[in-house]
Amino acid sequence: RKEVEQDPGPFNVPEGATVAFNCTYSNSASQSFFWYRQDCRKEPKLLMSVYSSGNEDGRFTAQLNRASQYISLLIRDSKLSDSATYLCVVTSGDSSYKLIFGSGTRLLVRP
Amino acid sequence: DADVTQTPRNRITKTGKRIMLECSQTKGHDRMYWYRQDPGLGLRLIYYSFDVKDINKGEISDGYSVSRQAQAKFSLSLESAIPNQTALYFCATSLEGNSGYTDTQYFGPGTRLTVL
């Protein structure tokens, strides 16, 4: 079983749509959680950290459910520029610096 | 100028050749990392370094070696390249997070390596 599992997609949505991605992780000792964005053939970039209380950054909302070991990302009012692969990332349970990456969920926003 | 740079950006080589990938950063970070990315597998950690001369194995270090001779530079070597080392390689840097806090990792643009 992969340590971090994501639906690979692609999710194909029209501009303005709301789309949600989910991610599950296997190590209950993981302490920190993130969503990274990766454009085609480019480097990953931090989109947002994910906190237990949930957090929002503009059109993006991230939620963490530690009991279910589940992380979500909600994108409202999708833009063409949101088209990318979204990587769910958690820290390895025994460290704060070892990141475990999901294989990503691809989002395509169409006009 | 980019904060984290990698050279070369693309490389095609043959089985058995020695290859070195270079990473340089101007962010002043102590921590540096090498990852590889394969389709459907996500990024996997190869080696990491917390300071000059500090080297630690990651998840998939076999077949690779690294060198950290200066704070700003971290190089990855494939002593004898094989086809299953064909992948996209990323270097990353970070600060040392406070206890219980994970600092953001900043990635270089990647090196696309093909081993024939």
Side-chain angles (χ1 to χ4, degrees), chain A residues 30-48:
Chain A
S30 294
Q31 294 295 318
S32 298
F33 310 88
F34 311 92
W35 284 101
Y36 275 71
R37 170 191 169 129
Q38 185 174 25
D39 293 297
C40 187
R41 296 175 179 265
K42 298 276 184 78
E43 71 274 23
K45 293 183 179 179
L46 180 67
L47 178 67
M48 58 196 304

Side-chain angles (χ1 to χ4, degrees), chain A residues 48-93:
Chain A
M48 58 196 304
S49 301
V50 187
Y51 304 115
S52 296
S53 56
N55 49 299
E56 186 175 310
D57 183 2
R59 297 181 293 109
F60 299 84
T61 301
Q63 295 278 354
L64 167 65
N65 183 322
R66 284 186 182 269
S68 300
Q69 295 180 205
Y70 169 96
I71 304 162
S72 65
L73 177 67
L74 182 76
I75 305 175
R76 290 181 299 278
D77 189 22
S78 298
K79 311 292 185 190
L80 295 176
S81 58
D82 293 335
S83 296
T85 297
Y86 291 83
L87 308 177
C88 177
V89 184
V90 310
T91 49
S92 175

